[in-house]
Amino acid sequence: MAERKNEKFRNKVYSIVFESDTRPGRLFDLILLWLILLSIISVFLESVASFREKYIAAIHIIEWTFTILFTLEYALRIYSSKKPLSYIFSFYGLIDLISFIPNYLSIFFPGAQYLMVIRALRLLRVFRILKLSRFINEGNILKDALKASMHKITVFLASVITMVTIIGTLMYIIEGEESGFTNIPVAIYWAIVTITTVGYGDISPQSPLGQFLASILMITGYGIIAVPTGIVTVAMAKATEESKEKCPECSSPIYPSKANFCSNCGKELHPKA
Amino acid sequence: MAERKNEKFRNKVYSIVFESDTRPGRLFDLILLWLILLSIISVFLESVASFREKYIAAIHIIEWTFTILFTLEYALRIYSSKKPLSYIFSFYGLIDLISFIPNYLSIFFPGAQYLMVIRALRLLRVFRILKLSRFINEGNILKDALKASMHKITVFLASVITMVTIIGTLMYIIEGEESGFTNIPVAIYWAIVTITTVGYGDISPQSPLGQFLASILMITGYGIIAVPTGIVTVAMAKATEESKEKCPECSSPIYPSKANFCSNCGKELHPKA
Amino acid sequence: MAERKNEKFRNKVYSIVFESDTRPGRLFDLILLWLILLSIISVFLESVASFREKYIAAIHIIEWTFTILFTLEYALRIYSSKKPLSYIFSFYGLIDLISFIPNYLSIFFPGAQYLMVIRALRLLRVFRILKLSRFINEGNILKDALKASMHKITVFLASVITMVTIIGTLMYIIEGEESGFTNIPVAIYWAIVTITTVGYGDISPQSPLGQFLASILMITGYGIIAVPTGIVTVAMAKATEESKEKCPECSSPIYPSKANFCSNCGKELHPKA
Amino acid sequence: MAERKNEKFRNKVYSIVFESDTRPGRLFDLILLWLILLSIISVFLESVASFREKYIAAIHIIEWTFTILFTLEYALRIYSSKKPLSYIFSFYGLIDLISFIPNYLSIFFPGAQYLMVIRALRLLRVFRILKLSRFINEGNILKDALKASMHKITVFLASVITMVTIIGTLMYIIEGEESGFTNIPVAIYWAIVTITTVGYGDISPQSPLGQFLASILMITGYGIIAVPTGIVTVAMAKATEESKEKCPECSSPIYPSKANFCSNCGKELHPKA
C-alpha cells in the first residue's frame, strides 16, 4: 500500500519535473528557466574583476544557493525517473550533472566554477517548455538538412584542412619567424584565420611573395564558402519539400502549399462541408 | 457651413501631407525628402570637430530651422489625420516624432541632437513616394521570405548564442586576462567577433590551446553561415514562386514565366486577339 | 576610284582592329592583349619606390612607347569606324581613350599616369577575342540574374544604409571620440566595416555597451548576408532555367537536360537516324 | 617458371600496395595512414623553435626513418605497377615522390624538409582506403558541381580581379604611402583583403575619401559573395538531381526520393514481392 502511494507520488514528481503539460509542470519549467538565466548572469558577473573584488561574498552565497537547488533538482530527476541510468547517461542528463558539478570542483580547483556556463545548454530545453511545436518542427528540418549534408561537408572539410596545412607550411618557409609565423602550427592557424575570412591581423604577411600567396588563399576562401552554402541550401530545399503537408489520398506532397486539389491524384483538399 | 469648409480644407491638407497622387502631394513629398537628407548631413557635419568649432552658429541656425519645419509638418499631420491617435502611435508616426524631439532635448542634454539621424528611417518612405510598385512588390517578397524564415532563424540564433557563451567562457579560462580576455562577457564578445568572421583582432588568442579552440570556432562560423543562407534562399524561392502570375482559369502559378498555355489546365494565356 | 580603294582599305583596317575572325585580326588582338598586360605591369613597377628610383628613365621610355602605341591604335579605330562618334562615346571607346590620356595629363599633374591601370578594363575584351561563346553565354546568365535581382538588392541596400547610419550614430554617442569614433561619418564607416564582416580593427568599441551594440550589428550582418545570396541564387536558378535548350516542337525547356523525350509534348529529342 | 613465380609475387605486392580489398592490403593502407600522420606531426614539431633546440637529434632520426620507409614504399609501387611510367606521372605518383624528396634536398638546402607536409595530400587517399563509396559519390557530386560552375566562376573572378586592380590604384593615389599604401601591388593586396571581407587591418584607409571608397568596396564585396554562392548552389542542385536514383523503366529521375511510383511512366518502384 505504502509502495503504491510512493509510486503515485513518484509519478506526480515525474510529471512536474520532466513534463510540462500540467500547470505545476509548466510552472516548474518556467522557474527553472529563470534560475538558469540568473545563475549564468551571476557567473558572468563573478568574472568581472571590479565586481568580484567588491561583492565576492554575495556572489559566493548566490552561486552556492543555485548549486544546491540544481543538485536537489538533479536528485529529484533521478528519483522520479523510471529508468534512472538511462536518464543519467542521456544528453540532457549529462548536461544537468555538468551544470552544478563545477562549483563543487571549484573548492579544489579555483576557476572551475566558470564551467557552470555549460548550463546554458539547458536553456535549449526552452523550446520544449514553450511547447512550440512549430519551433521543434523547424529545428528538425534544420537537423535533417545538416545530417543529409554531413558526408559532403566532411569531404569539404578534409579538403580545406589539407589546403591550410600545405599553404600554412609554405607561408612558414616564405615569411619566417620575423613576420610572426613562428612555427608551422601557428602558420596553419593563420591560414585558417585567413581562409575563413576572419582576418584578425595579429599575424599578417610582410613580403610581396607572402602577400601574393595570401591573396590566393583569400580569394579561394571567398569562393569556396559557396560550397557549404550550396550543400546546405540544396539539402534544406529537400528537407522542406519532404516535410510538406501530404495528400491524405495518395500521400504525395501538396504543391503549391495552398492548393485546392492534389496535383497528383486530384483529390479535393479543403471540401467546404 | 464653416465646419464643412474646414472639413474640406482638412481633406486637402491630408491629400498633400499623407498622399502623393496629386501634384502638390508629390511636390510636398519631394521637398520633404530633400529636407530630411539635408538635415541628416547637417547633423553629420556638426559631429566633425573641426567643422563644429568653426561654424557652430550656422549649424545651430540650420538645425533649429529644420526642427521647426518638421514640428510644423508633424502638427499638420495630426491636424489633418482622421484618427490622430492611430497616426501618433503608428510606426511612421513615432518616427516622425523622434525625428525632431532630440533637438528640443539637446537644450537640457547636450549631444541628444545626434539622435536626429533616426529621421533617416523616414527616407524609407521614398519607396512609397516614388510610387515604384515594383519596389514595394519586391520588398514584400523579401519581407515574406524573412517572415517565413523567422522560426528557423530563431532556432539557429539560439544555438549560436549558446555556443558563443560556452566557447567564450572556455577561452576566458584558457587565455585569461593577460591575453585581453578580461572577463566572460568580453570573451563572449570575442567569440561573436570570431564566429561572424568579423575578426577585429583587438583581442586574439595567444596560447596554442586558445588558437586551436579559436580555429574550431572559425571553421564552425565559416560552415554555419550556410544555415541562414540556406533558410532564406529556400524561403525566397517559395515566396517568388507564390508571387508569380496566376492562370486566370485555374489560378495555378504559370510556369515557365512566358508560357503560352497554362501547364495545369491548358488555357491559352496570350490569345492573339 | 581612289575613294573606293580607300574604302576597301578602311574596311580591311576595320576587320583587323575591331574584329577577330581573320588571322591578322586575331593576331592584332593577341598583341594588344600582351601590350596592355605589359603596360599595366610597368605602371605597377613605377609605383614601387625602390624600383622607381633606380630605373626612372627606362620606365618613362617604356610608358611613353605604350602610350604612343595606344594613341595610334585609338586613331586607327576612329579612322576605320563607320560611325566614329558612336564608337568614341561607346563604353569601350571611352575606356580606350582613358587608357592613354593619363600619361599626357601626367606632364601637368604628376601622379596622373597611375590612372592608366584603367586600361585593365580593356582586358575584359579578352572574352570576345578568345571567341569563347561559352564564356559569353555564362556571362550573360550572370548579367541576367543580376539585372533581375536589381530591385530587390536596391531595397536591401537602402535598408542596410539606413541601419548603419543609425547604429553608427548611436556608437558615436556611446563610445565617443576617445575610442576612435571621432565623428558620425567615421562611426558609419566603422558600422560598414562591421556589418560586412570585414572588421579591420582600426576602430573598435571599448565600453561594454558599445561591445554589446557591436555584437548585435555583427550577428545582424552575419544573418542578412543570406538576403543577397538568396536573391541572386533564386534569380540565377531562373536565368539558368530559361537559358536551357528548348524543345524544337513546343519550345518548352527540356528537363532533365539529357532527356530523350520532351516532358511537355512527348517529342523524341535525339532520334537515332 | 621463375618468371611466372616472380609475376605472381608482383601481383601479390600490387594487391597489397595499391588495393585495399584484401586483409593485408587494408592493413598496409591503415599503417601507411598512421605513418603519414605521425610524420606530419614530426615536421610540425621540428618547426617549433623550443622543441627543435631540445630534441633535434631525435627529430632527425624519426624523419629519416619515415623518409626511408616512404622511399621503400615508392620503390615497391614502381616495382609492382604494371605500367610504372603511368604511375610515376599520375597525380598520386607525383605526390608520393614529393612526399619524401624534400628530406633528401634538405641536406643541400636546409629548410626544404618542411615541404614534406605536402604528403598531407596523400591523406586524401583515406576516402579510397575506407571504401566509403558514399563519400566518393558525394565527392563526385561536389566535383561535378564545381566543374559545371567553372566558366561562370572564371568570368566572375576576371571581373573581381579587374575591380581590385582599379580600386587598389585609386586608393594608392588617394591615400599615398604614409597610410601604408606603399605601392600599387600592396594597394591591390589591400583591396583583395577588403573585398573578400578578410580585413586584417594591417593597412587601412585614413582619409575621409579613402574610407568612403573602402566602404563602397566592402559593400560590393559583401554583395557579390552572393554570386559564386548562387552559381555553386544552382550547379549543386542540378548535380544532385542528376545523381538521383533513376526509374528502371523510363530512366527519368525518381521524385520525391521515396516515391512508390515513377512520376513519369507510373511504374511501381518497390513491389512487395
Side-chain angles (χ1 to χ4, degrees), chain B residues 43 46 60 63 102-103 105-106 109-117:
Chain B
V43 174
E46 189 191 343
H60 271 188
E63 281 186 354
N103 214 17
L105 288 178
S106 71
F109 310 101
Q113 74 274 20
Y114 295 126
L115 288 170
M116 285 188 294
V117 294

Side-chain angles (χ1 to χ4, degrees), chain D residues 172-183:
Chain D
Y172 170 70
I173 297 171
I174 293 169
E175 287 283 329
E177 311 203 356
E178 61 273 23
S179 301
F181 294 79
T182 46
N183 53 55

